[in-house]
Structure formats: C-alpha cells, structure tokens
Amino acid sequence: MPKVKCSELRNKKKEELVKQLESLKGELQSLRVAKVTGGAASKLSKIRVVRKAVARVHIVMHQKQKENLKKFYKNKRLMPLDLRPKKTRAKRRELTKHEKNLKSPKQLHKLRCFPNRVYAVKA
C-alpha cells in the first residue's frame, strides 16, 4: 500500500474516510498478527507506514469536523472555547474596545461642566 497523502484525503467524504480507516485498522491488525507469528521483515516494516496512515486519516477527519463547527458557530453569540482564538491569557482578559470607552456618570458630569479649554495661539 502506497503512502496516504492528506491532500488526497481532504477531497474524500466522511463515509469514504471511515471506510478507509476501517480497512487500514484491519490491515494493521493482520500485520500485528504476522509480527507475533514471526512474519517477513517486509511486513514488520509496513506496520509503521500503516500506523502513520491511520493517524493521517484521523487528522483529516478531525480537521473537517472542526471546519464544519467553525462554519456553524460563525455568527452565533457564544462559541465553544476550543474554537475561539487562542491569543494570550492577558489578551483574553483585556477589556474590549467598547468597555474601555465607557464612562461613569461622574466622569460624564465632569466633562460637561469642565470641558477642555481651547486656546488661540499667536503665530
């Protein structure tokens, strides 16, 4: 079996991916049996290739699932934590632009009563 490429897997549908995953797992099982019974060296070296192929299929399935979830939650108010942008802890806790610009009633009163002075400067 030739090496499985992720770019080829991305073009397949979920059912095809599940089917391929099952066939790879079956092949891996038979290779492990061959290993225990003392199979040929070519079969033993193939175990690694099949394991990596299984991992690639899992990766592509997970990526597709996450992509669909991102589309689903795109314009929703709340989003699952793992779909939100990571940033840093400090950036996530930072006040939003709107929250930064809010002013208390006392601040508003001071601004109204004592506006910034405008001076004319002689040139």
Side-chain angles (χ1 to χ4, degrees):
M1 175 166 199
K3 187 175 171 184
V4 179
K5 293 189 177 178
C6 286
S7 56
E8 294 169 4
L9 292 174
R10 285 192 183 95
N11 299 330
K12 293 185 176 182
K13 290 185 169 56
K14 187 182 177 191
E15 298 82 32
E16 294 171 354
L17 289 172
V18 170
K19 193 175 170 184
Q20 185 168 2
L21 184 65
E22 286 175 11
S23 70
L24 285 169
K25 282 186 175 181
E27 186 179 348
L28 184 61
Q29 192 65 37
S30 65
L31 289 171
R32 285 187 175 147
V33 169
K35 179 183 174 185
V36 172
T37 57
S42 61
K43 282 198 173 189
L44 296 180
S45 62
K46 202 173 179 191
I47 290 176
R48 184 175 185 274
V49 175
V50 175
R51 278 180 52 236
K52 302 295 178 189
V54 168
R56 283 188 188 93
V57 173
H58 273 299
I59 286 169
V60 170
M61 286 173 70
H62 190 253
Q63 285 174 341
K64 280 189 169 194
Q65 184 181 18
K66 213 147 196 183
E67 192 179 301
N68 290 335
L69 283 171
K70 277 187 180 179
K71 283 179 191 171
F72 178 74
Y73 283 106
K74 180 134 181 144
N75 297 321
K76 300 268 194 273
R77 192 171 152 264
L78 298 174
M79 189 183 284
L81 294 177
D82 61 333
L83 296 179
R84 293 178 195 175
K86 181 88 166 86
K87 299 184 183 175
T88 61
R89 191 167 191 265
K91 285 279 186 190
R92 289 194 303 265
R93 278 151 183 75
E94 205 173 56
L95 291 176
T96 63
K97 211 172 194 180
H98 174 72
E99 290 169 336
K100 283 180 190 171
N101 293 329
L102 288 177
K103 296 198 177 355
S104 68
K106 188 173 182 177
Q107 278 178 309
L108 292 171
H109 183 265
K110 274 188 179 180
L111 286 171
R112 244 183 273 116
C113 292
F114 305 103
N116 287 337
R117 303 288 183 210
V118 179
Y119 298 100
V121 181
K122 273 189 178 177

